Amino acid sequence: DSGVTQTPKHLITATGQRVTLRCSPRSGDLSVYWYQQSLDQGLQFLIQYYNGEERAKGNILERFSAQQFPDLHSELNLSSLELGDSALYFCASSVAPDRNNSPLHFGNGTRLTVT
Amino acid sequence: AQSVAQPEDQVNVAEGNPLTVKCTYSVSGNPYLFWYVQYPNRGLQFLLKYITGDNLVKGSYGFEAEFNKSQTSFHLKKPSALVSDSALYFCAVPRSHASGGSYIPTFGRGTSLIVHP
């Protein structure tokens, strides 16, 4: 068990809708990362937060947004959903983002299906 | 830019035989390299990392990885494969992000390891 909790495990929704994915990091970890995993794109970095502040942005669409709350949990909001947004969304956490030798701890992901 | 490549989409090996999952890297300076494993319907799990020092790094579940600077490779190995080792394996390198001073792990495309009984 990585200690990272993601909810829900599965989401099925229609095109044009909006969903929220939730993540609780491992105890003691201050940094949260969001990744998207799909068959054609592999594992793509979306966005990172550290202690409530955005620290790095990757290939995140403008329709997507995220935040990290004072209790360190994070939410990823996906809006105006398209079929191509169907993927597995992972949250990961680490102690600090400025250490390049720290491994990430991943949750089990949220599988999003857009119909 | 820091990157890794996994040249094989799939590796097949018989149970009991040695296994190798390949990774090559393109890194400026001294590389920090990682291996992760993803079992079905689960998130990625950290296996091992190379920081500096010994070229042979030992990790979880009996896995090890060999760092080779001249070949810019960091191949994952195990002397005797188990059926339960069947999973998706990812090589990763931290990439410095322009803003905020963060290091963002960048992953290879992944290699599916299938161990046959």
Side-chain angles (χ1 to χ4, degrees), chain A residues 33 35 37 39-43 45 48 55-57 90 97-98 100-101 103-104 106-108, chain B residues 32 34 36 38 42-44 46 49 51 88 90 94 97 99-105 107 109:
Chain A
Y33 306 71
Y35 284 85
Q37 185 180 35
L39 283 175
D40 54 342
Q41 295 291 327
L43 205 58
F45 167 67
Q48 179 213 23
R55 288 290 293 266
K57 227 170 186 177
F90 284 110
D98 55 346
N100 56 3
N101 60 354
L104 295 187
F106 281 80
N108 286 330
Chain B
Y32 290 175
F34 296 74
Y36 290 79
Q38 183 182 19
R42 302 296 295 271
L44 279 70
F46 167 71
K49 66 182 178 183
I51 304 299
L88 199 53
F90 291 91
H97 207 273
S99 61
S102 289
Y103 288 93
I104 306 300
F107 293 86
R109 299 272 309 174

Coordinates of all heavy atoms in Angstrom, one line a residue, chain A residues 33 35 37 39-43 45 48 55-57 90 97-98 100-101 103-104 106-108, chain B residues 32 34 36 38 42-44 46 49 51 88 90 94 97 99-105 107 109:
Chain A
Y33 N 1.4 15.2 -7.5 CA 1.6 15.2 -9.0 C 0.3 14.5 -9.6 O -0.2 13.5 -9.0 CB 2.8 14.4 -9.4 CG 4.1 14.8 -8.8 CD1 4.4 14.5 -7.4 CD2 5.1 15.4 -9.5 CE1 5.6 14.8 -6.8 CE2 6.3 15.7 -8.9 CZ 6.6 15.5 -7.6 OH 7.7 15.8 -7.0
Y35 N -0.9 12.7 -13.2 CA -0.5 12.1 -14.5 C -1.7 11.5 -15.2 O -2.6 11.0 -14.5 CB 0.5 11.0 -14.3 CG 1.9 11.4 -13.9 CD1 2.3 11.7 -12.6 CD2 2.9 11.5 -14.9 CE1 3.6 12.1 -12.3 CE2 4.2 11.9 -14.6 CZ 4.5 12.2 -13.3 OH 5.8 12.5 -13.0
Q37 N -2.6 8.5 -18.0 CA -2.1 7.3 -18.7 C -3.1 6.9 -19.7 O -4.2 6.5 -19.4 CB -1.8 6.2 -17.7 CG -1.1 5.0 -18.4 CD -0.8 3.9 -17.4 OE1 -1.5 3.6 -16.5 NE2 0.4 3.2 -17.6
L39 N -3.2 4.6 -23.7 CA -2.5 3.6 -24.5 C -1.6 4.3 -25.6 O -0.5 3.9 -25.8 CB -3.4 2.7 -25.2 CG -4.0 1.5 -24.3 CD1 -5.0 0.7 -25.1 CD2 -2.9 0.6 -23.8
D40 N -2.1 5.4 -26.2 CA -1.4 6.0 -27.2 C -0.4 7.1 -26.7 O 0.6 7.3 -27.4 CB -2.4 6.7 -28.2 CG -3.3 7.7 -27.5 OD1 -3.5 7.6 -26.3 OD2 -3.9 8.5 -28.2
Q41 N -0.6 7.7 -25.6 CA 0.3 8.7 -25.1 C 1.2 8.3 -24.0 O 2.1 9.0 -23.6 CB -0.6 9.9 -24.6 CG -1.3 10.6 -25.7 CD -0.4 11.4 -26.7 OE1 0.6 11.9 -26.3 NE2 -0.8 11.4 -27.9
G42 N 0.9 7.1 -23.4 CA 1.8 6.7 -22.3 C 1.4 7.5 -21.0 O 0.3 7.9 -20.9
L43 N 2.4 7.7 -20.2 CA 2.2 8.4 -18.9 C 2.6 9.8 -19.1 O 3.8 10.1 -19.2 CB 3.1 7.7 -17.8 CG 2.6 7.8 -16.4 CD1 1.2 7.3 -16.2 CD2 3.6 7.0 -15.5
F45 N 2.7 13.8 -17.7 CA 2.6 14.6 -16.5 C 1.7 15.8 -16.8 O 1.7 16.4 -17.9 CB 4.0 15.2 -16.2 CG 4.0 16.3 -15.3 CD1 3.7 16.1 -13.9 CD2 4.4 17.6 -15.7 CE1 3.7 17.2 -13.0 CE2 4.4 18.7 -14.8 CZ 4.1 18.5 -13.4
Q48 N 1.7 19.7 -11.0 CA 2.3 19.4 -9.7 C 2.0 20.6 -8.7 O 2.1 21.7 -9.1 CB 3.8 19.2 -9.8 CG 4.5 18.9 -8.4 CD 5.9 19.5 -8.3 OE1 6.2 20.4 -9.0 NE2 6.6 18.9 -7.4
R55 N 3.5 24.3 -8.7 CA 4.9 24.4 -8.9 C 5.3 24.1 -10.3 O 6.3 24.6 -10.8 CB 5.6 23.4 -7.9 CG 5.6 23.8 -6.5 CD 6.5 25.0 -6.3 NE 7.9 24.7 -6.5 CZ 8.8 24.4 -5.5 NH1 8.3 24.2 -4.3 NH2 10.0 24.1 -5.8
A56 N 4.6 23.2 -11.0 CA 5.0 22.9 -12.3 C 3.8 22.4 -13.1 O 2.9 21.8 -12.6 CB 6.0 21.8 -12.3
K57 N 3.8 22.8 -14.4 CA 2.7 22.5 -15.3 C 3.2 21.7 -16.5 O 4.2 22.1 -17.1 CB 2.0 23.8 -15.8 CG 0.5 23.8 -15.7 CD 0.0 25.2 -16.0 CE -1.5 25.2 -15.7 NZ -2.0 26.6 -15.9
F90 N -3.7 9.3 -12.6 CA -3.0 8.9 -11.4 C -2.6 10.2 -10.6 O -2.2 11.2 -11.2 CB -1.7 8.2 -11.7 CG -1.9 6.7 -12.1 CD1 -1.7 6.3 -13.4 CD2 -2.3 5.8 -11.2 CE1 -2.0 5.0 -13.8 CE2 -2.5 4.5 -11.5 CZ -2.4 4.1 -12.8
P97 N 9.5 18.5 -3.9 CA 9.7 18.4 -5.4 C 11.1 18.8 -5.8 O 11.5 18.6 -7.0 CB 8.7 19.4 -5.8 CG 8.6 20.4 -4.7 CD 8.8 19.6 -3.5
D98 N 11.9 19.4 -4.9 CA 13.2 19.8 -5.3 C 14.3 18.8 -5.1 O 15.5 19.1 -5.2 CB 13.6 21.1 -4.6 CG 13.5 21.0 -3.1 OD1 12.9 20.0 -2.6 OD2 14.0 21.9 -2.4
N100 N 15.8 15.5 -6.6 CA 15.6 14.7 -7.8 C 15.9 13.3 -7.6 O 16.0 12.5 -8.5 CB 16.5 15.3 -8.9 CG 18.0 15.4 -8.5 OD1 18.3 15.0 -7.4 ND2 18.8 15.9 -9.4
N101 N 16.2 12.9 -6.3 CA 16.4 11.4 -6.1 C 15.3 10.8 -5.2 O 15.4 9.7 -4.7 CB 17.7 11.3 -5.3 CG 17.8 12.0 -4.0 OD1 16.9 12.7 -3.7 ND2 18.8 11.8 -3.3
P103 N 11.7 9.0 -4.9 CA 10.7 8.3 -5.8 C 9.3 8.9 -5.5 O 9.1 9.5 -4.5 CB 10.8 6.9 -5.3 CG 11.3 7.0 -3.9 CD 12.2 8.2 -3.9
L104 N 8.4 8.6 -6.5 CA 7.0 9.0 -6.3 C 6.3 7.8 -5.7 O 6.6 6.7 -6.0 CB 6.4 9.4 -7.6 CG 6.9 10.6 -8.3 CD1 6.1 11.0 -9.5 CD2 7.0 11.8 -7.4
F106 N 2.5 6.3 -5.9 CA 1.3 6.5 -6.7 C 0.1 5.9 -6.0 O 0.1 4.9 -5.3 CB 1.5 5.7 -8.0 CG 2.3 6.5 -9.0 CD1 3.7 6.5 -8.9 CD2 1.7 7.2 -10.0 CE1 4.5 7.2 -9.9 CE2 2.5 7.9 -11.0 CZ 3.9 7.9 -10.9
G107 N -1.1 6.5 -6.3 CA -2.4 5.9 -6.0 C -2.7 4.9 -7.0 O -2.0 4.7 -8.0
N108 N -3.9 4.3 -6.8 CA -4.3 3.2 -7.8 C -5.0 3.8 -9.0 O -5.5 3.0 -9.8 CB -5.1 2.2 -7.1 CG -4.2 1.3 -6.2 OD1 -3.1 1.0 -6.6 ND2 -4.8 0.8 -5.1
Chain B
Y32 N 20.2 10.5 -12.6 CA 19.4 9.8 -11.6 C 18.4 9.0 -12.4 O 17.6 9.6 -13.1 CB 18.8 10.8 -10.6 CG 19.7 11.5 -9.7 CD1 19.2 12.5 -8.8 CD2 21.1 11.2 -9.7 CE1 20.1 13.2 -8.0 CE2 21.9 11.9 -8.8 CZ 21.4 12.9 -8.0 OH 22.3 13.5 -7.1
F34 N 15.4 5.7 -12.4 CA 14.5 4.9 -11.6 C 13.8 3.9 -12.5 O 13.6 4.0 -13.7 CB 13.4 5.9 -11.1 CG 13.8 7.0 -10.2 CD1 14.5 8.1 -10.6 CD2 13.6 6.9 -8.8 CE1 15.0 9.1 -9.8 CE2 14.0 7.9 -7.9 CZ 14.7 9.0 -8.4
Y36 N 10.1 1.6 -12.1 CA 8.8 1.4 -11.5 C 8.1 0.2 -12.1 O 8.4 -0.1 -13.3 CB 7.9 2.6 -11.6 CG 8.3 3.8 -10.9 CD1 9.3 4.7 -11.4 CD2 7.7 4.2 -9.7 CE1 9.7 5.8 -10.7 CE2 8.0 5.4 -9.0 CZ 9.1 6.2 -9.5 OH 9.4 7.3 -8.8
Q38 N 4.1 -1.6 -12.7 CA 2.7 -1.4 -12.6 C 2.0 -2.7 -12.8 O 2.0 -3.3 -13.9 CB 2.2 -0.4 -13.6 CG 0.7 -0.1 -13.5 CD 0.2 0.9 -14.5 OE1 0.9 1.2 -15.6 NE2 -0.9 1.6 -14.3
R42 N -3.5 -1.3 -10.9 CA -2.8 -0.7 -9.8 C -2.0 0.5 -10.2 O -1.7 0.7 -11.4 CB -1.9 -1.7 -9.1 CG -2.6 -2.9 -8.6 CD -3.6 -2.6 -7.5 NE -3.0 -2.1 -6.3 CZ -2.5 -2.8 -5.3 NH1 -2.6 -4.1 -5.3 NH2 -2.0 -2.2 -4.2
G43 N -1.5 1.3 -9.3 CA -0.6 2.4 -9.6 C 0.8 1.9 -9.7 O 1.1 0.8 -9.5
L44 N 1.7 2.8 -10.2 CA 3.1 2.4 -10.3 C 3.7 2.3 -8.9 O 3.4 3.0 -8.0 CB 3.9 3.5 -11.1 CG 3.8 3.5 -12.6 CD1 2.4 3.9 -13.1 CD2 4.8 4.4 -13.2
F46 N 7.5 2.0 -6.9 CA 8.9 2.2 -7.1 C 9.7 0.9 -6.8 O 9.4 0.1 -5.9 CB 9.4 3.2 -6.0 CG 10.9 3.3 -5.8 CD1 11.7 3.9 -6.8 CD2 11.4 2.9 -4.6 CE1 13.0 4.0 -6.6 CE2 12.8 3.0 -4.4 CZ 13.6 3.5 -5.4
K49 N 16.5 2.7 -7.7 CA 17.0 3.9 -8.3 C 18.5 3.9 -8.3 O 19.1 3.2 -7.4 CB 16.5 5.1 -7.5 CG 17.0 5.2 -6.1 CD 16.5 6.5 -5.4 CE 17.0 6.6 -4.0 NZ 16.4 7.7 -3.2
I51 N 21.6 6.5 -8.1 CA 22.0 7.9 -7.9 C 23.5 8.1 -8.2 O 23.8 8.9 -9.1 CB 21.8 8.2 -6.4 CG1 20.3 8.0 -6.0 CG2 22.2 9.7 -6.1 CD1 19.3 8.8 -6.8
L88 N 3.7 -4.3 -16.1 CA 4.3 -3.2 -17.0 C 5.4 -2.5 -16.2 O 5.2 -2.2 -15.1 CB 3.1 -2.2 -17.3 CG 3.2 -1.3 -18.4 CD1 3.5 -2.0 -19.7 CD2 1.9 -0.5 -18.6
F90 N 8.3 0.5 -16.1 CA 8.7 1.9 -16.5 C 10.0 2.3 -16.0 O 10.3 2.2 -14.8 CB 7.6 2.9 -16.1 CG 6.3 2.7 -16.7 CD1 5.3 1.9 -16.1 CD2 6.0 3.4 -17.8 CE1 4.0 1.8 -16.6 CE2 4.7 3.3 -18.4 CZ 3.7 2.5 -17.8
P94 N 14.3 12.1 -13.6 CA 13.7 13.4 -13.2 C 14.2 14.5 -14.1 O 15.4 14.5 -14.4 CB 14.3 13.6 -11.8 CG 15.5 12.7 -11.7 CD 15.3 11.6 -12.7
H97 N 12.2 21.3 -14.0 CA 11.2 22.1 -14.6 C 11.6 23.5 -14.5 O 12.1 24.0 -13.5 CB 9.9 21.8 -13.9 CG 8.7 22.1 -14.8 ND1 8.1 23.3 -14.9 CD2 8.0 21.3 -15.6 CE1 7.1 23.2 -15.7 NE2 7.0 22.0 -16.1
S99 N 10.0 26.3 -14.1 CA 9.5 27.2 -13.0 C 9.5 26.4 -11.7 O 9.2 25.2 -11.7 CB 8.1 27.6 -13.3 OG 7.2 26.5 -13.5
G100 N 9.8 27.1 -10.6 CA 9.5 26.5 -9.3 C 10.6 25.6 -8.8 O 10.6 25.2 -7.6
G101 N 11.6 25.3 -9.6 CA 12.7 24.4 -9.1 C 12.4 23.0 -8.9 O 13.1 22.3 -8.2
S102 N 11.3 22.5 -9.5 CA 10.9 21.1 -9.3 C 11.5 20.2 -10.2 O 11.9 20.5 -11.3 CB 9.4 21.0 -9.4 OG 8.7 21.6 -8.4
Y103 N 11.7 18.9 -9.8 CA 12.1 17.8 -10.6 C 10.9 17.0 -10.9 O 10.3 16.4 -10.0 CB 13.2 17.0 -10.0 CG 14.5 17.8 -9.9 CD1 14.9 18.5 -8.8 CD2 15.4 17.7 -11.0 CE1 16.1 19.2 -8.8 CE2 16.6 18.4 -11.0 CZ 16.9 19.2 -9.9 OH 18.1 19.8 -9.9
I104 N 10.5 16.8 -12.1 CA 9.3 16.1 -12.5 C 9.8 14.7 -13.2 O 10.5 14.7 -14.2 CB 8.5 16.8 -13.5 CG1 8.1 18.2 -13.0 CG2 7.2 16.1 -13.9 CD1 7.4 18.2 -11.7
P105 N 9.4 13.6 -12.6 CA 9.8 12.3 -13.2 C 9.1 12.2 -14.5 O 7.9 12.4 -14.7 CB 9.2 11.3 -12.2 CG 9.2 12.0 -10.9 CD 8.8 13.5 -11.2
F107 N 8.7 9.5 -17.7 CA 8.7 8.1 -17.8 C 8.8 7.7 -19.3 O 8.4 8.4 -20.2 CB 7.3 7.5 -17.3 CG 7.2 7.7 -15.8 CD1 6.7 8.9 -15.3 CD2 7.5 6.7 -15.0 CE1 6.5 9.0 -13.9 CE2 7.4 6.8 -13.6 CZ 6.9 8.0 -13.1
R109 N 7.9 4.7 -22.3 CA 6.6 4.3 -22.7 C 6.1 3.0 -22.0 O 5.0 2.6 -22.1 CB 6.6 4.0 -24.2 CG 7.0 5.2 -25.1 CD 5.8 6.0 -25.5 NE 4.7 5.3 -26.1 CZ 3.6 5.8 -26.4 NH1 3.3 7.0 -26.2 NH2 2.6 5.0 -27.0

